[in-house]
Amino acid sequence: MDLHNLNPSSLKSRFTTRFLRALTEINARKPIASSSSPREIFQRYRRIKDAADTSMAYSVRSRRTWSKATLWRLRTPSHRRRLASFGRRSSLNKTRTTTTASHRGAVVVQITSRGGGLGVQLEELRELVPGGEAMDLCNLLDETAHYIKCLTTQVQVMRTIANLYSLE
Amino acid sequence: MGTWDNSMDQSDPFESALSSMVSSPAASNVPVSGENVMMRELIGKLGNICSSGDASCYTTPLNSPPRFDLSMVNLPNRSSLAAPFSADPGFAERAARFSCFSSSGNSGGFNDPLMDSFKLSGNQPINVDGSQSNKNSGSDKKNSGVSRSSSPENAESGVSKDESSVFQQIQSQNDAGTRKRKSTPREKPKEIPSPAADDAKVASENEESNSKRSRRNGAPAGNGNAKGSNDGNEKQRKENSKLLEPPKDYIHVRARRGQATDSHSLAERVRREKISERMKFLQDLVPGCNKVTGKAVMLDEIINYVQSLQRQVEFLSMKLATVNPRMDVNMEALLSKDMFQSRGQLPHGIYSIDSSPAFPYGYQPQQGLLPLTNGIPNTTETPFSMKTQGFLLPSVDGFTDAHPQVGPMWEDDLQSIVQMGFAQNQPQSYQGSIPTGQVKLEL
């Protein structure tokens, strides 16, 4: 009945199937014990989050820059990532909270010299959108729109799953 | 080259050029009157093409404001022509185009086929307007480097069968390489009034926007006379322009009235338009951005929204990490089905996130972590749901309310969903953060 309303090959359904599979696999590997420590919980959380991001990045049919960047970020070990980040304008790691002041300042200077008034926000947006460091404003806005759409889908699906899990 | 170029002097003002032209008919090997008629027709056609909204505007290399005046040189009677002209508002564009053609040095030979086409064009002044535009488009393309003989032919094809055939004959006669103006023996007195009108308008428009191209929207009343023929002509013109565009390899941008027309500013304008178009699209995506204007504030909103979405993902994944799932078939089926069903409820949840004072634009996952860890050892549903309801979105409550409705539904479609899920699971192998290869549902 309701299945007819939803396009079976839409982004939402693709993401749902992938994520469900990943989730079941994670749960099968390490089922939650009643005595799980916070550390185990955190590891689980990290795995689930990575699984969600990866499944979303895979569900994107047209390979987008942010999806490639997400997959690259999740696959490449962090030390290799740091080496590669020298070639880019800013660190690829999601260091929103840990970016040093000097580094941030340097990046801001670099961007404001071109952005013309929107430098700080552009730089923030580049940090938020994976793979947005090496894109001009035009493409960055494109990527942001697509990324927002996929993020909302991801949030919807995960919220539904979480609700279902919590209710069962 | 032509005498056309020789007679043109960039430094001469408009009127003086006209007077010099009038006074020195010997400069041209064509009778001045005939030539002027041709020129007027030419300019009229140019204007028609521009005004009709031809997508392929001339490119930046053609911008040379001073030359615009030069093209007006052969309009001797512009004062008398002012009256009938008002019908054609796109004239400055035509004149500008014409000036561009003349500036590139093609004017001498360029005029000839157009003049010929004008002569052929016809018995009615209405046709002249339509045919002018076609011919002008052809001349436009010509100027960009396509062979002169071919483009007018292409332009002509849309005008009328008779005209195009005759035109092509004439084109074949013309030497594509020559730039001299050939004598135009054929001359139709009927065509004089409309080209004259066009000329007058060109003159007036030229004065208005001296070196600027002006943007004209669609065919004005003057062209409206030939709406039927114009529509066909426009289509032909567009097709012709498409045929002739590939060799050009520029991005065609129409310069706006009163704006700079150099290549950099045009490219900059294109870029800015693209960016503003994307910002509008983002405005639709991000809720609550309709009232916001300005790039900076919009970007702030977008950044906040993306951050909140990312935080929500983190929070939900944390929640999923703490929930002890019941792995059974019904659960999976219910998930796939209810996720689709709860679509209507989810938007409410999203908006409530934004509006709830406790979670402005998103909530801190750290806040949710502690209570969840407290609730972890307790795997019973009730305490967990009670705890989570304290943090979670109202959509959870909404969902719980809807839960009893869900029950009967998935029993009905259970098998179909399970089959769907299995069908999707088997052919695909999940590669990703999960190191194991195939993932199989444990039933």
Side-chain angles (χ1 to χ4, degrees):
Chain A
M1 306 183 302
D2 286 315
L3 291 176
H4 301 307
N5 300 338
L6 191 70
N7 182 12
S9 66
S10 73
L11 177 71
K12 191 185 274 190
S13 57
R14 289 200 304 264
F15 169 68
T16 312
T17 46
R18 283 183 198 265
F19 183 55
L20 280 177
R21 271 186 280 151
L23 209 54
T24 54
E25 199 273 347
I26 290 177
N27 286 329
R29 274 199 307 164
K30 285 196 179 181
I32 298 182
S34 58
S35 61
S36 295
S37 65
R39 182 174 178 77
E40 288 178 11
I41 297 289
F42 183 75
Q43 282 178 355
R44 227 180 126 83
Y45 149 71
R46 288 297 310 199
R47 280 197 212 101
I48 288 179
K49 182 164 170 292
D50 291 346
D53 290 338
T54 311
S55 55
M56 175 50 75
Y58 266 109
S59 303
V60 172
R61 233 192 237 140
S62 66
R63 305 295 278 186
R64 284 271 175 169
T65 308
W66 69 262
S67 65
K68 292 181 203 167
T70 309
L71 293 172
W72 189 87
R73 189 183 296 188
L74 288 173
R75 282 190 182 168
T76 314
S78 54
H79 60 271
R80 283 198 203 137
R81 243 190 275 156
R82 272 186 223 112
L83 285 176
S85 72
F86 289 151
R88 305 193 185 205
R89 276 189 272 123
S90 64
S91 170
L92 287 172
N93 295 334
K94 246 191 181 180
T95 52
R96 253 180 292 138
T97 55
T98 64
T99 310
T100 62
S102 61
H103 179 70
R104 194 184 190 91
V107 174
V108 168
V109 164
Q110 194 175 4
I111 303 258
T112 49
S113 63
R114 311 175 319 148
L118 301 171
V120 179
Q121 289 141 336
L122 274 181
E123 183 246 344
E124 284 184 24
L125 197 58
R126 279 177 214 267
E127 283 183 348
L128 283 178
V129 177
E133 295 88 357
M135 273 193 292
D136 55 336
L137 177 59
C138 204
N139 293 332
L140 183 65
L141 292 178
D142 229 2
E143 292 286 321
T144 307
H146 194 259
Y147 186 57
I148 286 176
K149 189 182 99 175
C150 293
L151 271 184
T152 50
T153 311
Q154 193 172 356
V155 164
Q156 280 179 15
V157 171
M158 289 177 70
R159 185 177 298 144
T160 313
I161 294 176
N163 293 337
L164 285 172
Y165 273 18
S166 66
L167 291 170
E168 289 298 315
Chain B
M1 285 327 184
T3 53
W4 195 249
D5 287 316
N6 296 337
S7 62
M8 290 195 190
D9 184 357
Q10 300 195 10
S11 58
D12 285 349
F14 185 90
E15 288 78 359
S16 65
L18 282 178
S19 56
S20 66
M21 224 13 228
V22 174
S23 59
S24 61
S28 64
N29 51 6
V30 178
V32 176
S33 59
E35 218 178 33
N36 290 333
V37 171
M38 294 313 129
M39 285 313 304
R40 284 181 227 129
E41 293 177 2
L42 194 61
I43 293 165
K45 257 175 76 171
L46 286 167
N48 269 337
I49 291 178
C50 295
S51 60
S52 55
D54 190 351
S56 74
C57 313
Y58 42 99
T59 60
T60 55
L62 299 181
N63 297 338
S64 52
R67 299 175 183 271
F68 186 86
D69 293 335
L70 300 174
S71 65
M72 296 303 109
V73 164
N74 43 325
L75 301 179
N77 300 331
R78 70 181 177 90
S79 59
S80 62
L81 303 174
F85 208 141
S86 55
D88 200 348
F91 219 82
E93 291 176 339
R94 299 180 219 167
R97 276 185 182 251
F98 184 77
S99 70
C100 293
F101 305 138
S102 60
S103 65
S104 60
N106 295 339
S107 57
F110 176 79
N111 294 332
D112 297 333
L114 291 179
M115 292 181 193
D116 293 338
S117 67
F118 272 111
K119 289 160 198 168
L120 303 172
S121 61
N123 314 327
Q124 317 156 8
I126 291 175
N127 266 346
V128 170
D129 285 337
S131 60
Q132 283 177 359
S133 57
N134 284 337
K135 291 165 191 176
N136 281 344
S137 67
S139 63
D140 286 349
K141 304 303 177 284
K142 256 178 73 167
N143 197 29
S144 63
V146 183
S147 73
R148 224 176 300 146
S149 58
S150 61
S151 55
E153 289 178 2
N154 292 338
E156 276 301 319
S157 60
V159 178
S160 66
K161 293 295 180 185
D162 300 338
E163 293 181 2
S164 57
S165 60
V166 178
F167 187 76
Q168 287 175 2
Q169 291 174 11
I170 291 177
Q171 284 308 310
S172 60
Q173 294 171 14
N174 287 343
D175 184 359
T178 60
R179 305 208 166 192
K180 297 178 190 173
R181 271 175 302 138
K182 297 181 185 172
S183 60
T184 58
R186 294 170 295 269
E187 204 178 333
K188 296 196 175 173
K190 291 180 190 175
E191 296 173 358
I192 293 176
S194 50
D198 291 343
D199 282 342
K201 178 129 189 195
V202 171
S204 58
E205 294 252 339
N206 185 25
E207 290 174 2
E208 286 174 13
S209 60
N210 195 11
S211 62
K212 317 282 187 187
R213 288 170 253 156
S214 55
R215 172 176 280 184
R216 306 287 180 214
N217 300 326
N223 297 335
N225 300 334
K227 275 239 168 101
S229 61
N230 265 349
D231 292 340
N233 294 341
E234 280 188 30
K235 284 172 193 168
Q236 280 288 344
R237 226 181 314 117
K238 279 169 191 169
E239 292 166 7
N240 297 334
S241 65
K242 280 173 196 167
L243 292 172
L244 297 163
E245 269 179 17
K248 277 199 206 173
D249 215 16
Y250 290 115
I251 294 177
H252 293 268
V253 177
R254 172 63 55 91
R256 292 210 184 103
R257 183 190 182 89
Q259 293 184 350
T261 56
D262 56 325
S263 62
H264 293 296
S265 57
L266 275 179
E268 187 66 25
R269 187 176 313 121
V270 167
R271 189 177 151 270
R272 270 185 267 131
E273 281 171 3
K274 270 195 212 169
I275 288 177
S276 59
E277 173 192 327
R278 283 177 191 170
M279 293 283 289
K280 279 181 204 158
F281 181 64
L282 276 172
Q283 213 169 8
D284 297 333
L285 270 184
V286 178
C289 264
N290 303 330
K291 315 136 196 170
V292 173
T293 52
K295 273 194 207 170
V297 189
M298 262 299 300
L299 275 183
D300 278 336
E301 289 292 312
I302 292 169
I303 287 170
N304 285 339
Y305 189 62
V306 170
Q307 278 176 351
S308 78
L309 283 178
Q310 286 174 344
R311 280 190 225 124
Q312 285 178 33
V313 167
E314 289 175 7
F315 181 83
L316 286 170
S317 60
M318 175 62 66
K319 183 181 173 205
L320 283 173
T322 60
V323 172
N324 189 14
R326 309 270 176 91
M327 304 310 296
D328 54 355
V329 178
N330 290 345
M331 169 69 85
E332 293 305 317
L334 178 59
L335 280 172
S336 24
K337 176 118 182 156
D338 288 330
M339 193 271 306
F340 305 151
Q341 287 177 2
S342 59
R343 266 176 302 161
Q345 298 168 6
L346 289 172
H348 299 301
I350 292 177
Y351 294 144
S352 63
I353 290 175
D354 297 341
S355 59
S356 69
F359 307 102
Y361 240 141
Y363 35 85
Q364 305 299 326
Q366 293 80 15
Q367 294 175 7
L369 180 58
L370 294 176
L372 285 178
T373 53
N374 292 336
I376 286 162
N378 193 350
T379 55
T380 60
E381 292 176 6
T382 325
F384 184 82
S385 58
M386 278 165 52
K387 282 185 184 295
T388 54
Q389 279 177 16
F391 294 97
L392 289 182
L393 323 165
S395 65
V396 176
D397 298 330
F399 193 79
T400 52
D401 295 336
H403 183 61
Q405 304 169 9
V406 168
M409 292 210 242
W410 44 279
E411 289 174 3
D412 298 340
D413 298 337
L414 186 58
Q415 290 192 354
S416 63
I417 293 165
V418 171
Q419 286 169 6
M420 178 191 75
F422 274 109
Q424 288 179 354
N425 287 339
Q426 289 166 0
Q428 300 173 7
S429 65
Y430 186 82
Q431 326 153 2
S433 59
I434 301 174
T436 62
Q438 293 283 343
V439 176
K440 295 185 181 178
L441 272 181
E442 300 288 338
L443 293 185

